[in-house]
Amino acid sequence: MLALVVAHLVLAGLLPLVSARSRPAAFAVAALPPSVALLWAFSQTGPALGGGVTESVAWAPALGLTLSFRLDALALVMIILVSGVGAVILVHSIGYFDRDSPQATRSAALLLAFAGAMLGLVLADDLLTLYVFWELTSIASFLLVGQGGERRAERRAAVQALLVTVFGGLAMLLGFVLLGQAAGTYRISEILADPPRGGLVPVALVLVLLGAFTKSAQLPFHPWLPAAMVAPTPVSAYLHAASMVKAGVYLVARLSPGFADLAVWWAPVVVVGLGTMLVGGWRALGETDLKKVLAFGTVSQLGFLMVLLGAGDRTAALAGAAMLLAHALFKAPLFLTVGTIDHATGTRDLRKLSGLRTALPGTAVAAALAAASMAGLPPLLGFIGKEAAFEAFVDEGGARGYLVAFGLLAGSMLTAAYSARFLWGAFATKPGVEATVVHHRPGALLTGPIWLCAVAGLVLGGAYVLVDLLVMPYAAAYPDEHGYHLALWHGFNIPLLFSALAIGGGLLLHRARATVDALSHHSPVDAQRGYRSTVDGVSRLALVVTGRLQAGSLPVYLGVILVTFILLPGVAAVVAGQWPADQPVYDALVQVPLALVVVVAALALTRSHRRFTAVLLVGVIGYGVGGLFIIDGAPDLALAQFLVETLSMVAFVFVLRRLPAHFTERRPTWLTRLPRLLIAAVGGITVAGIAVVLSAARVGPAVASGEFVRLAPEGAGANNVVSAIIVDFRALDTVGEIGVLFIAAAGVSSLVLATRYDTRRKRESGREQVSSGQSGPDHEREVLG
């Protein structure tokens, strides 16, 4: 499994070499790894539907970090989406992108890299492994939506998608850590086998759901998905219909068998999912861009999937897994249809399209087949999944069951309505609108993938037994109360009535589209406006905080650092730390006079009026601390301290030659001095207290320290462990630190020498304005004082 994921990523890095010779060939090559992954998954169907296929690779055994993968029924369904539908979309891209398209090169490589990241995500059996691939998909989505960044809409949409999904991902990471610590393991299969309860588990689950909601465009985070429609249509079809947006749904589906019995899990999922389904469906009825219609439809369908896979019911889980497959098989071809129409006519505006039913009859039939599955018409797979969804909550009964059932019915009416709106807008002959001219007749590479996915939805609807066998092992994680199985016909019952009402109600809504269009644009709540207000508010807050803190004052900077230290690690040490019961006041009597010298010098420093006196007192403090190091048995550290203090004093003396002898600032009053005194005193006490608490927390030698002691004589030929660490064990770190110091010294020297050069030229020429480097005259005058 790891080899398949790595193959995707490695080949993605090599694809630009192929694109340099032939861009169509790059998409053809990119379709190979997903195809191989799909074939491999099908070859493992038997074990996957049984106990599952597992694989682990330890990459940091001492820390217990492993790359763990598992192929089971749910992962197999997702691989059909990620690899199967992904390969079809990559083939479609060969005909979609022009041979000289600047988007083709980057899109081929990024789509393949995204496919590899999604494959790793759905196979991950470890929370941390899942998180790594989760964020890789966010990065790939950012690059694919933003493309080259030439257009402002692309940049804004890419940044919005990244901010929302990464914000949720970070919250989810914290939830993973809390959940893994509560369970004692980060292996997902082990967590589900014995789910933890109590403690911080509810907090962990809420944080995990937050990540799932942002990734799958749930309320109120959904606006990023319609905004991302600025991406090329194949990108939208793959990321925002078939694959990436289902990552959050997949996460809910993966964890629900262990936590769906908790109200803190199912209640947010059901409420947010129903709200998302209704809002997304309603917004789709007011859009005029065919991609936006499908985008808000995708938001609605994702809410539908959330409800099914998070409710904690066996029949609902069965319906959800079937709808996962059905959604990819009808939404991907519909997006590809929009790309084909745009490629052929140059527009996606349904108000300008007319008569394409006769101009593009093959595409129209395939799109109608896919839209019928989305609306829930038999004998397509979408109908089977929706009827199972109605069955789950009608059979459940009670307040929750009937509320969810009627909510799904209302959402399904909206689904049927925007399905009809899509077909009408794309292919109908509209009165008063001229027939749309087809400039480029779509070839087999554009229409073939549409037909393949649409026909697959029809075939699987008839072969519902195969779908039932595929998804039943996942649903079997829940108690079997009704013995329900997927089928085309369950007799005349309430779920069948709900299906008929959904279709009929949707057609009536579409017939009243003029009124619905007007109403859909009048909403008191706008999530996109809320996102912009949030971003603007954070920017204004950042400006205010930066203006207050970055004041150009060293005392302010030191005060902020000390206050932050007091509030964060200081409070944590007080709350969680433990003061040692046998803490001595001193270990050796000579420590007392040295400590008094340091304290007296520090107090005298605050009262000093002369700069030279202040420098000497700082030196006394440093030498006193060095003396304490000697007493504590660290002569090497004391020597370093003495050298630093001596060099610092020499540097200060050179600087003091150019400064006034006395401090020239106005002496502060007690009112302004008191906050400084309090911050300094509390900060010093906090540092001392944390040092005592942390030193007392160690009950035995650290593992790393023991290894350093053992390896120093043999590996480094040194008896001084500190020296061995600095010179040998952390040699690269030390070289890096030296490099940073060298760069800083070179920069300071350059500035000093440049100023001296400018001063000399000014004296020689007698002119006020001089020229050096690339600075202007005003900056030169500022440098020269």
Side-chain angles (χ1 to χ4, degrees):
M1 291 184 241
L2 179 59
L4 284 172
V5 174
V6 172
H8 280 70
L9 301 178
V10 171
L11 188 56
L14 299 176
L15 268 187
L17 300 177
V18 181
S19 299
R21 293 181 175 272
S22 173
R23 289 173 180 172
F27 285 104
V29 173
L32 293 177
S35 302
V36 172
L38 181 65
L39 294 175
W40 170 82
F42 282 151
S43 70
Q44 302 293 320
T45 300
L49 298 182
V53 181
T54 60
E55 176 183 310
S56 295
V57 178
W59 61 279
L63 300 177
L65 298 178
T66 61
L67 294 173
S68 302
F69 301 97
R70 188 169 187 266
L71 176 66
D72 59 5
L74 181 61
L76 186 58
V77 172
M78 289 297 297
I79 288 177
I80 295 174
L81 276 58
V82 172
S83 299
V85 178
V88 172
I89 292 173
L90 285 167
V91 171
H92 174 87
S93 301
I94 300 174
Y96 180 85
F97 289 99
D98 296 332
R99 293 181 178 273
D100 57 346
S101 172
Q103 299 174 333
T105 301
R106 63 184 292 115
S107 294
L110 288 173
L111 282 173
L112 181 56
F114 170 81
M118 275 300 301
L119 182 63
L121 189 154
V122 301
L123 289 173
D125 191 34
D126 179 86
L127 292 176
L128 299 182
T129 303
L130 189 150
Y131 174 75
V132 170
F133 289 112
W134 182 283
E135 295 297 8
L136 287 178
T137 61
S138 296
I139 295 171
S141 173
F142 169 76
L143 296 174
L144 283 165
V145 172
Q147 290 294 312
E150 290 85 2
R151 294 189 299 161
R152 184 183 181 187
E154 292 175 340
R155 297 193 300 270
R156 294 183 65 174
V159 170
Q160 181 175 359
L162 186 68
L163 285 178
V164 174
T165 56
V166 169
F167 162 74
L170 291 175
M172 183 188 72
L173 175 61
L174 178 57
F176 281 172
V177 172
L178 295 177
L179 186 60
Q181 291 300 112
T185 178
Y186 286 86
R187 290 290 291 266
I188 298 175
S189 56
E190 295 177 3
I191 292 174
L192 296 180
D194 184 18
R197 292 291 187 267
L200 293 176
V201 171
V203 177
L205 296 180
V206 170
L207 292 172
V208 170
L209 287 178
L210 183 60
F213 290 164
T214 56
K215 197 75 163 185
S216 288
Q218 301 295 289
L219 286 176
F221 309 106
H222 65 284
W224 74 262
L225 178 56
M229 291 301 109
V230 297
T233 303
V235 173
S236 300
Y238 192 20
L239 274 69
H240 307 133
S243 188
M244 189 193 85
V245 290
K246 290 191 177 70
V249 174
Y250 166 78
L251 180 61
V252 169
R254 177 60 73 193
L255 296 180
S256 281
F259 303 102
D261 59 323
L262 301 177
V264 73
W265 178 268
W266 68 259
V269 171
V270 170
V271 172
V272 172
L274 282 176
T276 304
M277 186 180 186
L278 296 174
V279 170
W282 179 252
R283 289 293 304 273
L285 297 180
E287 294 296 331
T288 57
D289 186 330
L290 289 177
K291 278 186 73 174
K292 287 292 186 70
V293 173
L294 294 180
F296 279 106
T298 300
V299 171
S300 178
Q301 292 290 313
L302 290 172
F304 184 30
L305 292 171
M306 278 286 184
V307 174
L308 297 179
L309 294 167
D313 179 81
R314 182 189 183 96
T315 305
L318 193 66
M323 283 302 299
L324 266 177
L325 188 57
H327 181 266
L329 293 178
F330 63 65
K331 192 55 69 68
L334 290 175
F335 268 105
L336 297 182
T337 298
V338 175
T340 301
I341 292 174
D342 192 13
H343 191 273
T345 65
T347 182
R348 304 192 305 253
D349 193 333
L350 58 83
R351 296 168 297 184
K352 300 177 181 179
L353 294 171
S354 180
L356 289 183
R357 178 179 54 189
T358 56
L360 300 173
T363 303
V365 173
L369 200 59
S373 182
M374 181 166 65
L377 285 174
L380 294 146
L381 185 56
F383 165 77
I384 294 175
K386 284 195 176 181
E387 191 178 37
F390 293 141
E391 178 75 27
F393 295 101
V394 169
D395 282 352
E396 178 183 326
R400 190 187 90 152
Y402 284 115
L403 284 175
V404 175
F406 282 107
L408 295 182
L409 175 59
S412 297
M413 288 182 181
L414 295 174
T415 303
Y418 64 71
S419 299
R421 178 180 180 82
F422 176 85
L423 291 177
W424 168 82
F427 299 106
T429 300
K430 304 179 181 68
V433 181
E434 295 183 2
T436 305
V437 178
V438 176
H439 302 288
H440 305 285
R441 184 69 54 179
L445 287 173
L446 287 176
T447 58
I450 300 174
W451 272 101
L452 181 61
C453 292
V455 170
L458 176 62
V459 171
L460 290 178
Y464 56 84
V465 175
L466 294 179
V467 180
D468 188 77
L469 291 174
L470 177 64
V471 300
M472 183 55 76
Y474 166 70
Y478 299 97
D480 187 4
E481 298 178 1
H482 307 290
Y484 185 88
H485 287 271
L486 298 178
L488 269 174
W489 180 253
H490 289 94
F492 293 101
N493 52 20
I494 294 179
L496 182 62
L497 175 63
F498 273 34
S499 296
L501 290 174
I503 299 299
L507 292 177
L508 289 176
L509 280 174
H510 174 64
R511 186 165 184 172
R513 56 183 172 272
T515 303
V516 172
D517 282 351
L519 293 175
S520 64
H521 289 90
H522 294 81
S523 174
V525 179
D526 187 348
Q528 180 67 11
R529 186 166 57 244
Y531 162 77
R532 292 173 181 168
S533 299
T534 301
V535 173
D536 292 341
V538 171
S539 298
R540 287 193 295 269
L541 178 63
L543 288 175
V544 171
V545 172
T546 302
R548 295 291 185 271
L549 299 184
Q550 301 297 322
S553 170
L554 184 59
V556 171
Y557 296 159
L558 292 175
V560 170
I561 293 172
L562 286 175
V563 169
T564 304
F565 180 81
I566 293 169
L567 294 178
L568 296 181
V571 172
V574 172
V575 173
Q578 184 175 359
W579 192 267
D582 56 348
Q583 177 64 35
V585 179
Y586 57 87
D587 294 317
L589 186 61
V590 71
Q591 289 177 330
V592 177
L594 282 175
L596 290 175
V597 169
V598 171
V599 171
V600 171
L603 293 175
L605 180 61
T606 62
R607 305 293 299 170
S608 174
H609 298 282
R610 293 177 57 86
R611 298 181 187 273
F612 186 71
T613 304
V615 169
L616 291 179
L617 291 173
V618 170
V620 171
I621 296 172
Y623 285 119
V625 172
L628 292 173
F629 288 155
I630 293 177
I631 296 172
D632 290 334
D636 50 347
L637 191 59
L639 179 60
Q641 178 74 20
F642 293 150
L643 291 174
V644 169
E645 289 299 332
T646 303
L647 291 175
S648 299
M649 289 186 63
V650 171
F652 271 125
V653 169
F654 279 113
V655 172
L656 291 179
R657 295 174 56 206
R658 311 296 297 269
L659 294 175
H662 293 77
F663 291 109
T664 56
E665 65 175 4
R666 187 176 59 184
R667 301 297 296 174
T669 63
W670 274 103
L671 186 62
T672 58
R673 184 183 296 181
L674 184 61
R676 301 181 183 182
L677 291 174
L678 290 176
I679 293 173
V682 176
I685 295 172
T686 302
V687 171
I690 289 178
V692 174
V693 169
L694 292 182
S695 62
R698 177 175 294 179
V699 295
V703 176
S705 301
E707 287 297 300
F708 285 147
V709 172
R710 184 180 66 83
L711 293 174
E714 302 175 3
N719 294 322
N720 189 317
V721 179
V722 176
S723 300
I725 292 173
I726 294 174
V727 178
D728 291 276
F729 302 144
R730 294 185 59 226
L732 293 178
D733 290 348
T734 304
V735 171
E737 293 165 359
I738 294 173
V740 170
L741 293 174
F742 175 78
I743 294 171
V748 172
S749 301
S750 299
L751 291 174
V752 172
L753 294 175
T755 305
R756 291 182 61 188
Y757 172 73
D758 293 338
T759 305
R760 186 171 64 253
R761 288 198 59 188
K762 176 183 177 182
R763 290 172 179 171
E764 294 175 354
S765 62
R767 293 180 298 177
E768 290 296 325
Q769 295 185 1
V770 295
S771 177
S772 70
Q774 298 180 354
S775 302
D778 294 336
H779 180 259
E780 296 294 344
R781 285 194 293 271
E782 182 180 352
V783 171
L784 296 175

